[in-house]
């Protein structure tokens, strides 16, 4: 089946991505972004375009209760009741997001099926391409909502009752755009799953390869911390008598950076720790900060090193209470285990890469993806395409069209192999 | 004139302060604040009440072009063309401010004149009590606007053209409340000036005295700094490849604290350095901060130690650029010299305190006040009344009524002495 790779049509894939980029397009100084929040007009148009493309290739389209879209193709020789090999990603974006994040994976999946069809190949298992609802969490959730429902981790009623900032429910928003279907897409019924996604990092660019085979997706722990000092007059409060929440919070930020760097050097080079939120009150130039709220994001492929960072945060808070007389609060509302991709999928991807003559590297994913959920219920693999400069979630997000084509070839070969006994 | 002190009527003073607290009153969880921005209805009512109280005692009321209100009393034996001994403060407040800040000084000044009248004393010089416009800078300026005009540091036309956030000019706002008068109150024509103000610190409370005699008002330097890193995905950007603006800014905040503490210990115990503004962009939990804007406030009674802090900031920025690959910007738009109170006023206050049997301490002011301007053109003195817990600009602002009375007695005695040759 060497010739399958020739049927992967980069122009057709590019057409789908650039057409999709028009929905929710936001012109910005240095190019175009897209804002495609779940249940908006832009999301409706992106979904309709996808359904049209599925129809064109005779795929059996289903929309589930939370708006997950699946197109299923039963090859001529396949048993229609057999478990599918599935692929896909998502069509929603963050506010001012890029054109490849999610969209590449959806249309690479469809292009893989089109190529298998055009090559007149007939794998033994049905193939399915999926667009999950609300992966980004831009409107209704913390993200990966559709795949969470598809594995049964969230139930349909809870998901539909989730509200946006204005009180609109996901159910209402999906009805509004006519994409609230029936039943539940069931990922546990899949034989296996592969997702192609942009790397959103620079390791592929640095090693000049067109595709990366992901071995692990990092876990994520998020902590929310309040540091409470005393808001006071910056001029009349002596250095000795002030309880400055900002300088205490600054110590914590530097401690997190320092302990994470130490873990990277000595234990796990994939660990990252970030203080992304840092809200200072009252925030006036002549008032000593009375409080700082910190939002902290910790990731690694080893749960233990994430726990080390959390422990160091708690020790630092105790020390700050002791040395600086601040009060502190700590919560940890978000805790996701690292997960490994299946050996079978990794091996299949390596084999397909060899057959197609595509250079790859193995790497981990620092970002969560729908695959993070799917890997809990079936054999799952994740492929990365290079991100120019590592940029994502902005107008600067870019993947060379030739890399899109090459990584889609890898996806097509591996999907065919998984579906062929 | 020992008996003058008996004529200072604490109940009358309290009545004026509590009545004024009703204008712009804002109920909050733990009491009441007042929001009295220049040119608002609340400001109009506070001004009208003051004018009524000046009228009741036969003072000659004038409103100048920027809304400064003065009430002038020419004692029976005084030359009406002689230079006045002036006193006063301001009636405007910050948003959610307290009831003593400014108001105590205005009504203590009036009460001092009422007491001198009631004691049937007739000093040699006219006495004047003033409420300056826009001391707090809550709506139209960086503050101390009225006194800046009164010493000729700002001209009337420029002051009137100053706009609030919505584009309304000070001139329009004053006309709206019918307090745009004529000409310019001229502080250079005063023989001398005394202001009573709440301390907004805890030194009087700590030493259990009812009044403090201010020797210096600190200077203030404000710096604005941007630290520019690279906003990146918190999960996919390795520790090594990130340029985190927040951790760089945290180092700067700690450096400012550390160098100021060192100056306090070794050179000047009155030095303070504060990072009050610290705005992090984009401020999302999963994005490495791309920029931080810092607003820094530096004060001391010695200009040299303020300059030392600024130098250490500049060295720290150079080091951060070098070690962390951030870019930085630096500006210094606000630079006010420290100023000393006049020896004559300080001596008169000490003498009055001794006569009245009032215990005092000498201290410096870390906050700017209208007196900061007036001291440039005539002999000026500043008296502090204790602030409970040091709180100010909030509902927690409080000065015991007995301390209000005692500090007003000191003011009355010193004003009388200054006006009596």
């Amino acid at each position: 089946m060497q010739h399958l790779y020739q049927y992967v049509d980069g122009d057709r894939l590019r057409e789908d991505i650039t057409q999709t980029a028009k929905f929710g397009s936001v012109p910005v100084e240095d190019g175009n972004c897209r804002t495609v929040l779940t249940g908006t007009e832009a999301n409706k148009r992106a979904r309709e375009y996808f359904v049209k493309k599925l129809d064109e290739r005779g795929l059996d389209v289903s929309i589930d209760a939370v708006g997950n879209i699946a197109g299923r193709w039963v090859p001529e020789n396949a048993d229609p009741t057999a478990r599918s090999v599935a692929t896909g990603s998502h069509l929603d974006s963050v506010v001012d997001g890029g054109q490849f994040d999610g969209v590449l994976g959806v249309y690479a999946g469809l292009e893989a099926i089109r190529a298998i069809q055009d090559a007149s190949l007939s794998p033994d298992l049905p193939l399915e391409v999926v667009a999950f609802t609300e992966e980004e969490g831009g409107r209704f959730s913390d993200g990966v909502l559709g795949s969470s429902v598809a594995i049964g981790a969230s139930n349909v009623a809870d998901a539909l009752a989730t509200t946006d900032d204005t009180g609109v429910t996901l159910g209402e928003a999906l009805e509004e755009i006519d994409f609230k279907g029936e039943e539940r897409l069931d990922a546990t019924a899949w034989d296996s799953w592969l997702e192609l996604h942009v790397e959103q990092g620079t390791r592929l660019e640095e090693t000049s390869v067109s595709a990366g085979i992901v071995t692990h997706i990092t876990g994520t722990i998020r902590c929310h911390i309040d540091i409470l000092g005393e808001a006071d007059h910056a001029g009349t409060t002596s250095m000795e008598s002030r309880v400055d929440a900002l300088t205490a919070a600054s110590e914590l930020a530097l401690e997190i950076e320092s302990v994470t760097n130490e873990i990277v050097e000595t234990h796990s080079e994939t660990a990252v720790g970030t203080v992304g939120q840092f809200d200072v009150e009252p925030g006036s130039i002549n008032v000593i900060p009375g409080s700082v709220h910190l939002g902290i994001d910790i990731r690694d492929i080893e749960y233990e090193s994430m726990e080390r960072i959390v422990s160091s945060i708690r020790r630092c808070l105790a020390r700050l209470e002791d040395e600086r007389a601040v009060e502190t609060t700590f919560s940890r509302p978000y805790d996701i285990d690292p997960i490994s991709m299946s050996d079978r999928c990794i091996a299949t991807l390596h084999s397909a890469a060899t057959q197609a003559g595509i250079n790859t590297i193995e790497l981990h994913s620092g970002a969560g993806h729908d695959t993070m959920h799917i890997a809990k219920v079936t054999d799952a693999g994740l492929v990365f395409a290079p991100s120019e400069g590592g940029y994502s979630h902005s107008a600067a997000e870019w993947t060379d069209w030739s890399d899109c084509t090459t990584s889609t070839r890898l996806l097509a070969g591996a999907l065919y192999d998984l579906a062929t006994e």
Side-chain angles (χ1 to χ4, degrees), chain A:
Chain A
M1 64 109 224
Q2 178 60 37
H3 65 304
L4 168 58
Y5 303 110
Q6 299 158 21
Y7 286 91
V8 170
D9 183 340
D11 292 339
R12 203 158 51 185
L13 175 64
R14 177 177 180 162
E15 170 74 8
D16 289 337
I17 293 171
T18 50
Q19 284 299 320
T20 300
K22 293 179 183 169
F23 311 134
S25 171
V26 181
V28 293
E29 204 178 319
D30 46 355
N32 272 273
C33 291
R34 53 191 280 272
T35 297
V36 184
L37 304 184
T38 302
T40 58
E41 178 65 22
N43 186 229
K44 180 181 188 183
R45 294 183 68 194
R47 287 164 172 272
E48 286 173 345
Y49 179 89
F50 181 49
V51 169
K52 190 181 83 174
K53 291 286 153 177
L54 295 174
D55 284 339
E56 280 178 11
R57 282 307 181 120
L59 274 67
D60 182 21
V61 176
S62 63
I63 319 284
D64 84 352
V66 298
N68 290 321
I69 303 172
R72 190 164 189 261
W73 173 55
V74 183
E76 207 179 339
N77 300 338
D79 172 3
T81 67
R83 295 162 79 83
S84 306
V85 173
T87 185
S89 192
H90 61 94
L91 294 172
D92 65 315
S93 80
V94 297
V95 172
D96 294 345
Q99 63 182 308
F100 296 92
D101 181 353
V103 179
L104 172 62
V106 169
Y107 286 103
L110 176 58
E111 180 55 29
I113 293 175
R114 288 189 297 221
I116 295 169
Q117 291 178 334
D118 291 351
S120 303
L121 293 169
S122 183
D124 301 316
L125 298 179
L127 288 165
E128 209 162 315
V129 55
V130 175
F132 287 115
T133 294
E134 186 73 358
E135 194 268 351
E136 295 288 4
R139 181 171 176 195
F140 287 105
S141 69
D142 288 334
V144 291
L145 180 141
S147 53
S148 173
V149 171
I151 66 164
S154 305
N155 76 54
V156 169
D158 287 350
L160 291 176
T162 314
T163 54
D164 69 6
D165 289 345
T166 68
V168 175
T169 66
L170 173 64
E172 289 162 353
L174 289 171
E175 268 172 12
E176 177 73 27
I177 62 165
D178 219 16
F179 269 91
K180 187 176 169 305
E182 300 290 330
E183 300 181 351
R184 185 173 70 82
L185 180 69
D186 183 8
T188 67
W190 293 338
D191 168 79
S192 50
W193 160 268
L194 293 180
E195 179 175 7
L196 171 61
H197 202 280
V198 288
E199 182 194 352
Q200 307 175 297
T202 56
R203 285 160 298 174
L204 299 181
E205 190 177 67
E206 284 158 12
T207 48
S208 301
V209 299
S210 294
I213 297 171
V214 173
T215 55
H216 306 80
I217 299 177
T218 60
T220 304
I221 295 176
R222 291 197 179 140
C223 305
H224 287 274
I225 288 167
D226 286 301
I227 296 188
L228 307 169
E230 286 171 19
D232 260 319
H233 194 297
T236 60
T237 313
S238 70
M239 292 306 287
E240 187 193 28
S241 58
R242 52 183 65 193
V243 184
D244 185 333
L246 173 66
T247 48
S250 295
E251 277 201 42
L252 179 60
L254 290 169
E255 172 70 13
I256 292 167
E257 183 186 53
S258 156
V259 74
T260 309
N261 280 331
E262 191 186 310
I263 288 170
V264 166
E265 278 168 32
T266 58
H267 293 87
S268 177
E269 64 182 15
T270 47
V272 286
T274 308
V275 181
Q277 262 182 321
F278 194 96
D279 302 325
V280 178
E281 294 291 338
S284 298
I285 193 166
N286 59 347
V287 183
I288 298 162
S291 71
V292 180
H293 174 82
L294 298 94
I296 299 162
D297 182 290
I298 299 162
R299 308 193 194 199
D300 196 15
I301 62 171
E302 289 179 19
Y303 197 80
E304 189 216 339
S305 50
M306 298 199 291
E307 278 292 0
R308 278 183 191 230
I309 297 171
V310 173
S311 299
S312 78
I313 289 172
R314 305 213 64 157
R315 278 195 305 275
C316 184
L317 290 178
R319 182 172 61 74
L320 292 173
E321 289 195 352
D322 195 39
E323 293 178 2
R324 287 182 172 270
V326 291
E327 292 176 27
T328 69
T329 69
F330 175 90
S331 69
R332 180 179 168 165
Y334 188 92
D335 204 328
I336 293 178
D337 286 339
I339 194 156
S340 302
M341 299 300 96
S342 88
D343 291 342
R344 177 183 160 218
C345 288
I346 292 172
T348 304
L349 285 164
H350 278 297
S351 153
T354 305
Q355 285 177 57
I358 296 168
N359 289 328
T360 62
I361 59 165
E362 284 195 348
L363 75 178
H364 78 282
S365 171
H369 295 289
D370 289 312
T371 296
M372 178 173 81
H373 278 315
I374 309 303
K376 291 179 190 161
V377 299
T378 191
D379 289 346
L382 178 59
V383 180
F384 277 163
S387 296
E388 203 174 282
Y391 299 113
S392 185
H393 287 189
S394 75
E397 182 178 286
W398 189 258
T399 298
D400 272 350
W401 295 112
S402 67
D403 288 332
C404 291
T405 306
T406 304
S407 55
T408 302
R409 287 192 172 123
L410 173 58
L411 181 72
L415 286 170
Y416 177 80
D417 288 348
L418 287 169
T420 304
E421 285 164 320

